Amino acid sequence: MGRLLVLLFVYLSAYLVLRRLWPGVIRGWRHGVLLGLMGLSFAAWLVPALTGYGLHHTPPLLVPVKLFAVSWSIASLLVMLLGLPLLGMSLWGARRRQSTPPPVNLERRGLLVKAGQAMPVLAVSASSVGVAGGSLGFTVREVEVKLRGLPAALEGFRIGQITDVHVGPFISPEYLRGAVDAMNAAGVDLQVMTGDLIDDVGQVDATMAALASNTARHGMLAVLGNHEHWRGLEEVLGGYEALARRNAPVRLLVDETQVLEHAGQRIRVVGVDYPMSRSRSGRSQRVRDERMKESAEASFQGGDPDDFVLCLSHHPDFFSHAAQRGARLTLAGHTHGGQVAFLGIPLFGFAFKHMLGRYRFRDSHLYVSGGTGHWLPFRIGVPPEVTLLTLRGA
């Protein structure tokens, strides 16, 4: 309910901004259309929250309504954020003129009026572009990882990564199957899924069937993300267990290791649990670091020094623990790359130490995917991706 109140505040703030800076919108039929669209958008969020219908799974006929609600909400937020400074300048100028009327600067006033009129158009355009960017499907991204001292047997070894799929309101199991098909078509040696697979546990069976359709030589290895823990951990674990009973080429790693052999070279794949898994309230930096350390100690035990170590972690900040314990490559997700970037630079890059792309610490490398799906279909400059990583000797 708290989120709905915040959303209502955003809508009302945007309305007041428009009322002041774009007064024509509150006249005649335009006013009725504005209020009607605002009401439709709010209802698209309110009804699922009250009834549960469409909360984690959107029926196909309602998808356009949900996409409209996302676009309207983002546009309202932009109108509020961009318009409030303009509104403040307008009110300050009006009060100043009332107290001591200065000479009227028509050029400055004209610029303010034009900025106020352009702002809603800019907000709607940015929102529409972002929603389109989040709804048009994934791209296949080729990444070459050059590793010093790479065993000769692993030269050209290919890994397909999907992450942050979020099967649910906007992402279907068919979309996931398309991502797996893309990795199949690329002929990767190993497929990995680095967490946040599903939001709607009612679609677990179809989701697991999509994972099981992989044809990689070494199958698929998966780890858990925060959304599996929050949306229905028992159902997700049951889905993975059902695949194991059928000998499907999919295995879930929870603070454990899977050893593969490729052309005579052992590959030790370490999969770690999400660091806040035990309690949804345990979100502090201290608790997160403690749980990452516990996962590292549990999952990196043993092993042969000649093994090539690959680490799978949903949270990218596990990289430091993996690198300290000999992981040559760590694959992660979780951040969605911020979902907005300009000139390749994430707008919200300050939110995570490792936000998007490649990082390196000595001879250890990290790749953070921008995510294969999303829980909110809004992306600018960070398209959903299926990542194909090729190992090369440096």
Side-chain angles (χ1 to χ4, degrees), residues 20-21 83-103 105 108-109 112:
R20 177 74 183 187
L21 298 180
L84 285 178
L86 292 174
L87 181 58
M89 292 171 61
S90 176
L91 293 175
W92 178 77
R95 179 174 296 181
R96 185 183 178 191
R97 286 192 297 272
Q98 288 177 358
S99 59
T100 54
N105 188 327
R108 182 182 297 175
R109 180 179 294 184
L112 185 61

Side-chain angles (χ1 to χ4, degrees), residues 109-278:
R109 180 179 294 184
L111 287 175
L112 185 61
V113 170
K114 289 179 181 179
Q117 293 175 342
M119 176 264 302
V121 177
L122 175 64
V124 171
S125 299
S127 176
S128 300
V129 169
V131 170
S135 305
L136 295 179
F138 57 81
T139 61
V140 176
R141 184 182 301 278
E142 293 270 2
V143 176
E144 193 171 81
V145 183
K146 295 185 178 181
L147 299 171
R148 188 180 303 169
L150 179 72
L154 298 184
E155 180 70 31
F157 187 85
R158 305 192 77 201
I159 305 168
Q161 180 192 14
I162 56 175
T163 188
D164 299 275
V165 182
H166 293 285
V167 172
F170 300 104
I171 301 294
S172 68
E174 290 73 27
Y175 178 97
L176 171 60
R177 186 178 289 269
V180 174
D181 286 344
M183 294 188 291
N184 290 341
V188 298
D189 299 294
L190 172 67
Q191 297 185 19
V192 301
M193 206 296 297
T194 50
D196 277 8
L197 172 66
I198 186 168
D199 287 346
D200 176 22
V201 293
Q203 302 185 72
V204 163
D205 291 343
T207 298
M208 293 300 165
L211 296 185
S213 67
N214 84 82
T215 59
R217 175 178 178 179
H218 299 291
M220 176 184 287
L221 298 176
V223 295
L224 298 171
N226 49 310
H227 278 243
E228 285 92 339
H229 286 282
W230 294 350
R231 300 302 187 195
L233 181 59
E234 291 185 5
E235 291 86 347
V236 174
L237 293 178
Y240 279 113
E241 290 169 0
L243 292 183
R245 288 194 296 270
R246 300 199 327 253
N247 292 319
V250 180
R251 181 181 173 187
L252 176 67
L253 302 178
V254 183
D255 288 346
E256 55 188 318
T257 296
Q258 172 78 21
V259 176
L260 312 174
E261 186 170 311
H262 184 85
Q265 171 64 46
R266 282 166 50 99
I267 305 172
R268 184 155 53 100
V269 184
V270 177
V272 298
D273 198 1
Y274 189 75
M276 303 174 191
S277 61
R278 295 177 186 173

Side-chain angles (χ1 to χ4, degrees), residues 318-343:
F318 189 81
F319 176 49
S320 59
H321 296 276
Q324 290 171 8
R325 290 163 175 80
R328 299 300 311 280
L329 175 63
T330 299
L331 302 179
H334 187 54
T335 67
H336 296 208
Q339 295 200 188
V340 179
F342 298 101
L343 300 177

Side-chain angles (χ1 to χ4, degrees), residues 56-120:
H56 300 307
H57 169 63
T58 304
L61 291 177
L62 296 182
V63 168
V65 176
K66 206 70 175 283
L67 288 176
F68 164 76
V70 172
S71 182
W72 185 273
S73 300
I74 293 173
S76 297
L77 179 63
L78 292 175
V79 166
M80 182 186 78
L81 295 177
L82 297 175
L84 285 178
L86 292 174
L87 181 58
M89 292 171 61
S90 176
L91 293 175
W92 178 77
R95 179 174 296 181
R96 185 183 178 191
R97 286 192 297 272
Q98 288 177 358
S99 59
T100 54
V104 177
N105 188 327
L106 296 179
E107 184 178 356
R108 182 182 297 175
R109 180 179 294 184
L111 287 175
L112 185 61
V113 170
K114 289 179 181 179
Q117 293 175 342
M119 176 264 302

